[in-house]
Amino acid sequence: QRLDDTLASLPDKTTKRHRGWQKLGASIAAILAIAILLPNLSPTISYAMADLPVIGSFFKAVTFRTYEKETGKNHAYIEVPEILSGDNNSSGAEVINKEVANYTNELIQQFETEMHADGYFNLDVKWDVVTDTDKWFTLKVHTTLVMASSADEVRYYHIDVPSGEIKTLADIFPDDFNYVSIISEELKQQMQARMDADPQQIYWLDNTKVEEWRFEQITPEHNFYFNVDGQIVIPFNKYEVGPG
């Protein structure tokens, strides 16, 4: 509008070229506004835009809804993501969206049930896209809960892009490959190496007095993701393999 007002105030000798740039500037601004606003105004529009060949890749994940509530010392802010797919028949996206919706609904129910108790209840849930290539897609959902103490939980959801199917750690290895033992031993070696290099780093291995705290091995469906170098990263939640 400011550009339009400035051009309108110029003398009458304004050339057609100026008027052409004025129309072009307004058109570009309108296109940008549509591209940014429409996907956030309606889930239906987001699904439709995901089918477009040019801009579809920019809208693979959106915040489907936001839950925010603050009462006294209690606060909750939850971003509920939803994965959009150019192929609306993607089984992986459908499964993940349902799992995330159920998970966040449980957190909301927990907050609304316990926020009236004495004390402090702070809940934050945010999401991020960790990997987005033509072969692999990973959505990260990070939950931070602060009550008497703090807890962090991170969940990773994976889709094999060519097939559209959801994938777990077990799916990326051959059936006869003992990945649980091999990865677990590698993790123990890395933990021990870190402790040897820095005595302040502590992991609960065989030298831990409390036996039930000791890290033995990962689960077959343990959390994982690929870093920028294509290496598998095995993350742990707070207090899972060492002091918080």
Side-chain angles (χ1 to χ4, degrees), residues 101-164:
N102 291 336
Y103 172 59
T104 51
N105 285 337
E106 290 175 1
L107 291 173
I108 292 172
Q109 182 61 46
Q110 179 188 2
F111 175 78
E112 293 183 344
T113 300
E114 299 183 19
M115 70 175 180
H116 301 293
D118 294 335
Y120 178 81
F121 193 126
N122 188 63
L123 175 64
D124 284 285
V125 180
K126 297 183 179 180
W127 64 271
D128 189 20
V129 174
V130 177
T131 308
D132 184 6
T133 70
D134 58 351
K135 294 182 179 180
W136 197 261
F137 180 86
T138 298
L139 175 71
K140 171 185 175 182
V141 179
H142 185 190
T143 301
T144 303
L145 174 61
V146 181
M147 294 177 71
S149 61
S150 63
D152 284 285
E153 180 180 4
V154 181
R155 298 188 177 192
Y156 295 87
Y157 301 90
H158 312 280
I159 295 178
D160 175 69
V161 174
S163 67

Side-chain angles (χ1 to χ4, degrees), residues 206-217:
D206 293 338
N207 57 348
T208 301
K209 295 182 180 180
V210 184
E211 187 173 351
E212 58 265 29
W213 290 359
R214 294 177 187 171
F215 169 67
E216 298 294 343
Q217 64 180 20

